[in-house]
Amino acid sequence: MTVAFEVEPVERTPARERARLMAGAPFGEVFTDHMVTVRWSAARGWHDARLRAHAPLVLSPAAQVFHYGQEIFEGMKAYRTAGGPVVTFRPYANAERFAASATRMAMPELPAELFVGALETLVAADREWVPEQEGHSLYLRPFMIATQPTLGFYRPAQEYLFVVIAAPAGAYFAGRPMTVWLETEYTRAAPGGTGAAKCGGNYAGTLVAQRRAADRGCDQVVWLRDGHVDEMGTSNLFFVYGDEVVTPPLGDTILAGVTRDSVLTLAADLGYRVAQRPVTVTAWRADAEQGRLTEVFSSGTSSMITPVGHVRAADGGFTVGDGAAGTVTTRLRAELLGIQTGVRPDPHGWVHKIA
Ligand SMILES: *Cc1c(COP(=O)(O)O)cnc(C)c1O
């Protein structure tokens, strides 16, 4: 499917102003000149694909998204590789997950070609906004909202808007191991719920716990269910037992991270034993204290692979390994970064030239 995007005239930010904005940009607060929008209606399906100025959306205050929360999103990065092309990582995996999130939220599926075509159209137009510095990227945020103006809650909305916006991002990884909070009061997801969908409501419900964790000096919340580890707020969790790399199995309470899937593949490629099996909080603590569990790290697009050094909980805390980044974590991170930046071979065809 090739989609022709209607191109509206857009006033571009002058180069010097753009450089100033990009240099001082706190993540997610400076945006490129363009955005892409595509509309869907029950009568017409997907239509009206446009490349236009990044600008406020005009919506009815009765738009269903404001009342019943039909919203899904994705997060990805575009970056420059050594040779010059701008690439992104496994965009079809994100397209597939976006479609799965849509299905769970009773929203229309966006064809993968249209999803990737929208990313390509936007990045080609905003190529100058892709940072040059190593580790920096252009963060891409595709999302979909229910726009039908009705307070009636008798069926899913009959009109939707798909949008892609982009924001230059600095290198997230500071190399500092995280301190995480084991959350035992609130839950993020439940069996049969929406935990496996990347929908806005999942995040709204976790902010109160994230704020309390921050007040206790923690970087992230670890979400638990029946004493089992699920994942973190925006990343999945891995446990390293010597040469074995373990992550909890997917289900409807865990978001299927593209980075998670890539780490599982890479770890096997590198000769580690790989397992998807449940990890309990009790085992996490005991295995860390007895030295069987040697490393813990998180995986996700925004923070890539980040070590977990310290764990805090209502009944006290403990340290993983010596609290510093471990060798397996460091190696996996270097391999993944090498593939992503084009300095290592890409045997699985993960890197996609976008502009
Ligand atoms: C986005 C997200 C992840 C990580 O997914 P990636 O595709 O690796 O970026 C993990 N958990 C949650 C809850 C997420 O929202």
Side-chain angles (χ1 to χ4, degrees):
M1 178 173 160
T2 31
V3 189
F5 286 83
E6 184 99 11
V7 179
E8 292 183 1
V10 169
E11 199 181 319
R12 287 173 189 267
T13 307
R16 278 185 63 183
E17 173 66 359
R18 189 179 63 237
R20 190 189 65 79
L21 286 169
M22 286 172 73
F27 172 68
E29 292 179 24
V30 167
F31 300 97
T32 62
D33 292 326
H34 296 84
M35 66 182 183
V36 160
T37 57
V38 190
R39 295 197 294 156
W40 185 92
S41 68
R44 298 183 59 189
W46 291 106
H47 64 283
D48 196 17
R50 272 171 202 278
L51 175 69
R52 53 198 277 202
H54 178 106
L57 298 169
V58 177
L59 295 174
S60 162
Q64 280 206 0
V65 63
F66 296 134
H67 308 280
Y68 310 126
Q70 273 180 298
E71 190 270 355
I72 59 170
F73 66 96
E74 276 298 326
M76 358 187 11
K77 285 174 172 175
Y79 41 88
R80 291 178 194 274
T81 47
V86 176
V87 302
T88 189
F89 189 69
R90 303 185 68 183
Y92 285 93
N94 292 86
E96 211 177 287
R97 184 171 69 192
F98 195 64
S101 297
T103 300
R104 177 63 184 83
M105 303 307 286
M107 299 166 87
E109 269 188 30
L110 186 79
E113 292 302 328
L114 186 48
F115 181 92
V116 177
L119 301 178
E120 288 172 346
T121 302
L122 181 63
V123 176
D126 284 330
R127 205 173 189 286
E128 289 128 335
W129 288 90
V130 183
E132 307 270 359
Q133 303 98 302
E134 200 184 315
H136 293 225
S137 62
L138 184 64
Y139 184 82
L140 305 175
R141 170 51 59 85
F143 65 100
M144 195 203 310
I145 53 175
T147 52
Q148 187 187 358
T150 171
L151 301 182
F153 190 65
Y154 39 81
R155 61 176 183 186
Q158 302 294 293
E159 289 170 23
Y160 295 86
L161 184 69
F162 170 68
V163 188
V164 190
I165 55 176
Y172 177 98
F173 188 78
R176 185 182 62 88
M178 287 185 285
T179 298
V180 299
W181 174 258
L182 300 183
E183 178 58 52
T184 43
E185 185 180 343
Y186 297 107
T187 56
R188 189 191 89 92
T194 59
K198 221 169 165 79
C199 62
N202 285 349
Y203 304 83
T206 64
L207 285 167
V208 64
Q210 182 64 40
R211 189 173 58 195
R212 285 210 320 207
D215 291 345
R216 290 163 171 139
C218 294
D219 303 294
Q220 291 282 334
V221 174
V222 175
W223 295 102
L224 309 171
R225 200 175 31 80
D226 297 336
H228 288 76
V229 177
D230 267 348
E231 57 166 318
M232 296 211 293
T234 57
S235 53
N236 298 107
L237 273 172
F238 282 84
F239 298 81
V240 181
Y241 296 84
D243 69 348
E244 189 186 31
V245 177
V246 176
T247 193
L250 295 177
D252 52 12
T253 59
I254 296 185
L255 201 285
V258 176
T259 320
R260 174 188 181 280
D261 183 73
S262 309
V263 167
L264 286 171
T265 304
L266 260 187
D269 287 353
L270 293 175
Y272 296 110
R273 288 181 299 130
V274 170
Q276 299 183 56
R277 65 166 183 259
V279 175
T280 65
V281 173
T282 319
W284 183 353
R285 182 190 290 263
D287 291 344
E289 284 171 354
Q290 287 157 28
R292 279 191 299 271
L293 173 70
T294 42
E295 303 173 33
V296 175
F297 64 86
S298 73
S299 75
T301 297
S302 63
S303 53
M304 231 228 329
I305 291 175
T306 306
V308 172
H310 301 279
V311 183
R312 289 189 189 153
D315 59 352
F318 59 96
T319 298
V320 179
D322 59 4
T327 53
V328 178
T329 304
T330 306
R331 181 158 177 225
L332 284 167
R333 182 170 187 281
E335 291 287 337
L336 184 58
L337 191 64
I339 294 174
Q340 290 184 337
T341 51
V343 301
R344 287 191 201 201
D346 175 23
H348 304 285
W350 285 340
V351 176
H352 178 91
K353 182 171 174 292
I354 198 165

